[in-house]
Amino acid sequence: HPDEGSESDITPQDLNYPYGKILRLNDDGTIPGDNPYKVSSEKDDQTNTIRESIWTYGHRSPQGLEWNVLRQRIWNSEMGPRGGDELNELIPGTNYGWPYHSLGMEYSGIHVERYQKRDIEFDVTTVKQTLVDITQLLVLQLCIQLQIHLHLNQ
């Protein structure tokens, strides 16, 4: 991910760049007609193609994707800043906040609110974050498995 305070630090919020985005394409490389930023246009330049391929944006460091067959939804896991690893249900066109907002902390210990340093208006209430502490999730999963094991062996 870009260095804090660098000019490239804002690209996850800039829809003209592919960085910090989850892109959605058809198997043949074309852009699905129902992508959130797809417009019917004769113009086929690189910036337009990047913007139209965006599914979600504001990601720090996506690590993996998982398709939920029952709900027909896709989720991503994402390495966040200190204490801010995320598990996000990807909702088309949604902003997940990075680098201006995160529920994790900067490694210096302060809250992630980089938009304030840049004097940028940024409404954190528009950010969608389904933050899950992966460590707590694993502990919970182990506890459930232990309870099932104990119950089966009574």
Side-chain angles (χ1 to χ4, degrees):
H1 66 89
D3 294 329
E4 177 185 351
S6 70
E7 282 305 309
S8 62
D9 191 36
I10 64 171
T11 59
Q13 292 294 318
D14 187 335
L15 299 181
N16 295 315
Y17 294 93
Y19 316 111
K21 316 296 186 298
I22 301 290
L23 307 178
R24 179 176 173 245
L25 301 171
N26 292 317
D27 289 342
D28 65 0
T30 59
I31 298 169
D34 62 345
N35 268 12
Y37 301 102
K38 177 75 174 160
V39 294
S40 55
S41 170
E42 301 287 322
K43 189 177 175 185
D44 189 26
D45 61 29
Q46 185 176 5
T47 301
N48 200 38
T49 301
I50 291 169
R51 181 181 291 266
E52 291 187 351
S53 66
I54 294 171
W55 188 246
T56 60
Y57 67 103
H59 297 282
R60 180 178 189 255
S61 183
Q63 300 293 306
L65 298 172
E66 177 72 25
W67 178 250
N68 181 316
V69 177
L70 297 174
R71 295 193 64 215
Q72 298 291 294
R73 296 284 189 152
I74 193 158
W75 291 72
N76 90 305
S77 58
E78 190 166 327
M79 181 179 69
R82 190 169 103 188
D85 291 348
E86 296 176 15
L87 183 61
N88 296 304
E89 180 177 11
L90 299 179
I91 300 167
T94 300
N95 180 2
Y96 290 84
W98 189 259
Y100 295 150
H101 181 69
S102 171
L103 297 179
M105 304 287 274
E106 299 283 6
Y107 290 99
S108 63
I110 63 170
H111 290 283
V112 175
E113 294 176 336
R114 296 179 184 183
Y115 63 95
Q116 292 177 347
K117 294 178 191 172
R118 296 181 178 277
D119 215 13
I120 295 171
E121 263 189 58
F122 184 75
D123 183 2
V124 295
T125 63
T126 65
V127 173
K128 170 81 171 153
Q129 288 190 316
T130 50
L131 181 77
V132 175
D133 183 330
I134 302 300
T135 306
Q136 289 178 4
L137 187 62
L138 291 174
V139 169
L140 177 63
Q141 186 177 24
L142 287 172
C143 288
I144 291 170
Q145 288 176 353
L146 180 60
Q147 286 178 343
I148 292 169
H149 176 76
L150 292 173
H151 179 74
L152 293 175
N153 291 315
Q154 285 183 353

